[in-house]
Structures are given as structure tokens and as C-alpha cells.
Amino acid sequence: METSNKNDAYIVQQYINHILRIKIMSTDIYRVRIVSVNKGKKTVLIRVYLIYYDGGYTELPIDMSFFVMILRDGRFLIPNSTAASKEKVYDTDQETPFFKATTTDNLLDHKWMTKNVPRFIKSASSRDYHKVSGKRRRDGAPVDTRKDSTLQRALYEIVVTDTKWIEHLKPGHVWDTTSFDVVKNFPIERED
């Protein structure tokens, strides 16, 4: 019975977190897929897909501030088969070192972000860029944004300053996110 109560509390907390994100920004703009994590090199490969094509969003992330937001985005912690791992798994996103080092208010504060992006992320580069493919709507968006293969996407290599910032990420984690480029001070190097 105690396990059930813990699971119920976890689900309620995830719902509250989701509602808080909706208040900040109500529409998921990107889909994020963790491709690999190399703790020895302090790197994580992340494929980012543009899933929202209305409202002027036509580009993939261009600033490292996006990935600072991603490191705190806890929706991927909801248990699923692709995230199964023998490594440490956090019961809630509040337990991760990155969550403890930041607040939502921090992430939305331009001054804080400008000062602290280098505290967490050493460098970022993108490659393997793909434009929208397949059938499109009149506005240029793909007909079906559930098919990753039709979406505008790129692979990002993120190098963090400390392994603890990525210890909660596992290959196979996938989630849609409201994260965005908070500032435009830390450009991502694009490798074509």
C-alpha cells in the first residue's frame, strides 16, 4: 500500500509540474530525444525536433540557454519502457542536482541566464540538420507532427561543465517541451 501512495504522490507531483509549465508557456514547441550520454566526456547527444509551426516558430534552437532549460525539464522522468535503466533513476525531477541548483524563475530571467549559462554548459554544436519532409500544410508545416522523420530536426552535442548536470539523462528519454532560447548570447556552433 505504501508503494501505491508513493506512486500516487509522484503522479500528482508530475501533474502539478505540468500545470506550472503550462502557466509559463502553454504550447510544446520542440520534441527532445536523448541519443547518448557520455559521462566521461561530459557530453550528451540530443536530437531536437520542431513540432510547433504556428506563431512564428520556424527555427531549431540557436542558443545554449535552450539546453539549460532542457536540463531542468522533468517530464521525461515519468516511467516508461524506453527510459528503463539499471542506473540511478530519480523519483521526481526535484531530486536531480540540476533542479537543486536552479529555479524556474532563474531560467526565465535574462540576467541570470546570461550570467549562468557558462556555469552549466561549456559548449554546444549542431549537425545532421534536416528540413521538413513529406506532405505539408499550406503554412509549410508537416501534415503529421507525430512522425519524427517528417519534422525539421538536428542533432546537438552538448558539453557540460560537470557530469552531475547530466546524470539524470538516459538514452531513449523522449519528451515534448516548452523550452526555448531565453537569451541569444551563447550561439550554438553549426557543423554542416
Side-chain angles (χ1 to χ4, degrees):
M1 188 67 172
E2 188 175 314
T3 302
S4 177
N5 289 340
K6 187 175 181 181
N7 288 340
D8 291 346
Y10 172 74
I11 291 168
V12 168
Q13 184 61 51
Q14 291 302 314
Y15 178 73
I16 291 168
N17 291 347
H18 178 70
I19 295 302
L20 290 173
R21 279 192 229 22
I22 287 172
K23 288 182 178 181
I24 294 169
M25 187 172 207
S26 61
T27 303
D28 290 328
I29 303 168
Y30 301 103
R31 177 167 302 132
V32 175
R33 179 181 307 275
I34 304 302
V35 176
S36 68
V37 179
N38 184 326
K39 293 178 184 172
K41 292 184 177 181
K42 300 179 189 174
T43 61
V44 59
L45 283 178
I46 303 174
R47 186 164 307 277
V48 178
Y49 307 84
L50 180 63
I51 61 170
Y52 183 72
Y53 289 83
D54 297 330
Y57 288 95
T58 60
E59 296 296 323
L60 291 165
I62 59 169
D63 192 86
M64 289 190 276
S65 60
F66 173 83
F67 293 100
V68 172
M69 292 191 84
I70 289 298
L71 291 174
R72 197 167 195 276
D73 198 346
R75 287 185 276 185
F76 61 87
L77 292 168
I78 295 173
N80 64 57
S81 60
T82 62
S85 172
K86 292 180 182 178
E87 297 180 44
K88 182 174 181 174
V89 176
Y90 295 93
D91 289 331
T92 69
D93 53 352
Q94 287 88 355
E95 295 179 21
T96 69
F98 192 81
F99 192 94
K100 291 176 181 178
T102 60
T103 68
T104 301
D105 288 342
N106 292 151
L107 298 184
L108 298 173
D109 183 298
H110 286 234
K111 288 180 184 177
W112 185 93
M113 193 65 90
T114 299
K115 180 180 177 183
N116 286 282
V117 166
R119 177 178 160 204
F120 302 110
I121 298 183
K122 184 177 180 179
S123 65
S125 61
S126 69
R127 63 180 186 268
D128 196 24
Y129 176 83
H130 296 273
K131 293 182 178 181
V132 174
S133 63
K135 293 183 179 182
R136 298 181 187 198
R137 300 185 320 219
R138 289 193 325 187
D139 64 0
V143 172
D144 187 355
T145 59
R146 294 171 296 169
K147 292 183 179 179
D148 290 350
S149 63
T150 67
L151 300 173
Q152 181 180 348
R153 62 197 180 277
L155 185 65
Y156 292 84
E157 181 176 67
I158 311 305
V159 181
V160 294
T161 58
D162 193 316
T163 303
K164 67 184 175 185
W165 306 138
I166 59 172
E167 71 180 24
H168 60 290
L169 300 175
K170 306 289 183 259
H173 286 159
V174 179
W175 69 99
D176 293 348
T177 183
T178 60
S179 296
F180 58 97
D181 293 327
V182 178
V183 295
K184 304 277 194 247
N185 301 339
F186 306 97
I188 296 170
E189 180 182 322
R190 185 164 171 184
E191 301 170 9
D192 289 322

